Amino acid sequence: MFAGVRNFLSRHKRKFIVGGVIVGGSVLALRYAQRKLREFQEEQAREFLEKTRRLQHFESTERTCNQTIMGIAPSVFEEITKILSTEDILEQLRKKPDNKKELWEEMKVISFTRLTTMVYASSILVVTLRIQLSLVGGYLYRDSTKATSSAMCVTPDVRQMYLALIQHFLRDGLKDLSRLIEGKVRHIMKDYDLKRKLTIGDIEQIFWSIQMAVNNDAQNPNTQLARYVFPEDVNGNETLIRLFTETLDLLESEEVSNLCTNNISRGFSIVVDFLVRYYTEPNGKRNGVLSEAHQAVEEVPTTSKEQLNKVFDINSVESPLAKLIPIVNGLASKHFSESAKPQSLATSLVILFLVSDKIKILGANVYEVFNQ
């Protein structure tokens, strides 16, 4: 019997060897595949956890940025009001002086300058702090994931000094900005007599002319943003200087310049929407437009110019510039407040830029670049 088994094995030896190789190879291949699958699953899990952690950190950075902006904004608008105050002019007008016309002319310039400065300052504040917080947030996340200390470690002291650079904007930048804008407004508004009747279209033209005049200036804040928000140089350790230099490169980039230009156009649209409310007040006939049309406007759920034109031609309504000046001055005088209802122009401008998709994308791109 054993001889038969031996003969059988001998005759089929090659088959057994080949079969053994195949079975053994299959087992090894299966084990290899299982190991690779586990490694792949573990890698996927690590990547998912990493992405989740990074997203949570970015969202926390974004919330911190928004809170910082909302916290600094009141100081920005208070400084603008202080620099471009109309209180002295109003006080003199109450006394009915002989130079009343000259005072109203100055009131005209200061009111439009302050309103325009608010638009530019809101954009500058939001864009600058979004870049700063996103950049430092990216570095902080990178440092938290490194096993060894980094030469670019951003300590709390460095972070505080870096974020404090924006104080230059409050001290000197706003003065330079308001001075630039006042010069443009004074030049443009000299052609607008106090008795001249203006439509909403005329107001839009004024703001467009101011924007173009600022754009064509060598000190245009959209292209020279850094000179308004930061000092010329910074003294400190290597990390602070590097943060400062990298931020300057971002602030002077074409992408940021285009974003700021877009912000200004959108900001003036908000200003016009606020002024439209004055033009659509139901005060009876105004240059041939019946009060019924104004009453119909109240049923429109928005004061945007596009919606109002569906009810009646808003550009057919005119108002003397002398009557518009107190409205413009009043819009620029209302303080920034998160809780006040309805929102002031100052609050609306900051929130408009805060929720802008383009600014959010900018912050996300900066964060992504610097957390590697």
Side-chain angles (χ1 to χ4, degrees):
M1 182 179 72
F2 290 106
V5 172
R6 189 165 50 250
N7 291 334
F8 175 80
L9 292 175
S10 178
R11 289 195 306 271
H12 298 283
K13 180 179 180 181
R14 185 175 180 180
K15 293 180 180 179
F16 280 112
I17 293 174
V18 172
V21 170
I22 293 174
V23 172
S26 299
V27 171
L28 291 175
L30 178 60
R31 290 178 179 176
Y32 177 79
Q34 289 174 336
R35 186 171 71 251
K36 286 297 182 182
L37 179 60
R38 284 196 301 272
E39 292 175 356
F40 174 75
Q41 290 174 335
E42 290 172 356
E43 180 64 23
Q44 289 291 99
R46 281 194 297 270
E47 289 182 2
F48 175 76
L49 291 174
E50 175 68 15
K51 288 180 180 179
T52 301
R53 182 184 175 190
R54 185 184 301 176
L55 177 61
Q56 290 175 342
H57 187 267
F58 171 72
E59 290 176 343
S60 175
T61 300
E62 194 171 41
R63 286 193 298 271
T64 300
C65 179
N66 292 344
Q67 292 169 358
T68 303
I69 291 170
M70 298 298 276
I72 295 179
S75 299
V76 172
F77 292 110
E78 286 174 10
E79 187 64 21
I80 293 173
T81 302
K82 188 186 302 181
I83 295 170
L84 298 167
S85 176
T86 57
E87 290 301 318
D88 289 343
I89 299 176
L90 290 172
E91 184 62 30
Q92 293 181 59
L93 286 171
R94 293 188 187 101
K95 299 176 181 178
K96 299 181 180 180
D98 295 334
N99 62 337
K100 183 169 64 175
K101 185 173 186 285
E102 289 77 9
L103 289 173
W104 274 107
E105 289 287 349
E106 187 65 16
M107 184 79 166
K108 173 183 69 176
V109 172
I110 299 301
S111 297
F112 276 87
T113 298
R114 185 162 59 177
L115 202 60
T116 302
T117 303
M118 287 172 59
V119 175
Y120 277 88
S122 301
S123 172
I124 291 172
L125 177 69
V126 173
V127 171
T128 301
L129 284 178
R130 179 70 74 184
I131 289 175
Q132 280 192 277
L133 269 297
S134 298
L135 187 151
V136 78
Y139 271 127
L140 289 174
Y141 179 81
R142 191 202 65 175
D143 291 341
S144 70
T145 59
K146 298 295 182 181
T148 59
S149 61
S150 169
M152 188 55 190
C153 182
V154 182
T155 65
D157 288 341
V158 170
R159 184 164 69 248
Q160 183 177 356
M161 289 187 290
Y162 170 65
L163 295 178
L165 292 174
I166 192 69
Q167 293 299 320
H168 175 80
F169 180 53
L170 293 173
R171 292 192 307 268
D172 301 314
L174 282 173
K175 293 177 182 177
D176 293 338
L177 178 66
S178 60
R179 193 179 302 115
L180 170 69
I181 293 174
E182 182 179 351
K184 306 304 178 184
V185 171
R186 194 173 295 278
H187 176 73
I188 290 168
M189 296 303 293
K190 69 180 182 180
D191 296 329
Y192 288 83
D193 186 81
L194 292 172
K195 296 181 180 179
R196 180 171 175 176
K197 293 184 177 181
L198 302 175
T199 65
I200 279 295
D202 295 327
I203 297 294
E204 288 178 317
Q205 179 63 38
I206 289 174
F207 288 134
W208 182 85
S209 298
I210 295 172
Q211 184 179 357
M212 290 302 101
V214 173
N215 286 349
N216 292 328
D217 195 281
Q219 297 180 357
N220 175 16
N222 293 332
T223 57
Q224 303 292 324
L225 183 56
R227 76 176 299 274
Y228 291 95
V229 296
F230 286 167
E232 292 184 1
D233 53 31
V234 170
N235 296 319
N237 61 28
E238 183 180 349
T239 300
L240 178 61
I241 294 174
R242 181 172 174 181
L243 287 172
F244 174 72
T245 303
E246 289 172 337
T247 307
L248 288 183
D249 291 338
L250 290 169
L251 293 176
E252 295 172 352
S253 66
E254 184 178 357
E255 178 185 0
V256 170
S257 174
N258 292 336
L259 175 59
C260 289
T261 300
N262 178 263
N263 281 349
I264 302 307
S265 297
R266 295 183 66 204
F268 280 131
S269 295
I270 290 292
V271 171
V272 170
D273 282 350
F274 270 78
L275 289 173
V276 162
R277 299 174 187 177
Y278 165 73
Y279 275 85
T280 56
E281 287 178 352
N283 293 326
K285 293 184 179 181
R286 183 181 294 171
N287 295 312
V289 180
L290 298 177
S291 60
E292 286 79 1
H294 292 290
Q295 292 170 359
V297 170
E298 293 183 324
E299 300 175 2
V300 180
T302 176
T303 56
S304 68
K305 186 170 180 285
E306 291 76 10
Q307 290 289 339
L308 290 168
N309 274 328
K310 294 180 180 179
V311 181
F312 70 99
D313 183 10
I314 188 65
N315 282 317
S316 65
V317 186
E318 297 179 330
S319 181
L321 176 56
K323 290 187 177 181
L324 284 174
I325 293 174
I327 305 301
V328 172
N329 186 59
L331 285 178
S333 299
K334 291 185 178 180
H335 298 297
F336 178 94
S337 174
E338 295 183 62
S339 57
K341 300 294 180 181
Q343 289 181 346
S344 66
L345 175 62
T347 309
S348 297
L349 286 169
V350 172
I351 292 178
L352 171 72
F353 299 140
L354 270 183
V355 301
S356 167
D357 289 338
K358 291 184 178 180
I359 289 181
K360 288 183 177 181
I361 292 172
L362 172 67
N365 289 341
V366 172
Y367 180 86
E368 189 66 23
V369 168
F370 290 95
N371 69 18
Q372 301 299 324

